[in-house]
Amino acid sequence: MFHSDDPELGRWTSDHTVFVHADKRVTPDRVREIAGLAGAEVLGTPRIGW
């Protein structure tokens, strides 16, 4: 996403956001760990079915 942190593009930001699909068996802690390895962070709560 360019200039948004919302998949529906409802919010403008000056940053870019990457959305990552994770299998339902992956825990939120593991997702945060993986994001940290890339120098990134998890911005919100999980979204089901997107």
Side-chain angles (χ1 to χ4, degrees):
M1 290 285 168
F2 294 104
H3 300 296
S4 184
D5 60 2
D6 174 36
E8 283 79 37
L9 300 173
R11 255 187 322 272
W12 187 92
T13 67
S14 61
D15 298 317
H16 306 310
T17 302
V18 175
F19 292 91
V20 177
H21 173 82
D23 187 275
K24 64 183 176 183
R25 295 170 288 191
V26 178
T27 65
D29 288 338
R30 179 67 177 142
V31 173
R32 282 189 285 280
E33 179 184 340
I34 293 168
L37 291 173
E41 62 182 305
V42 175
L43 297 177
T45 60
R47 297 185 120 180
I48 306 299
W50 190 81

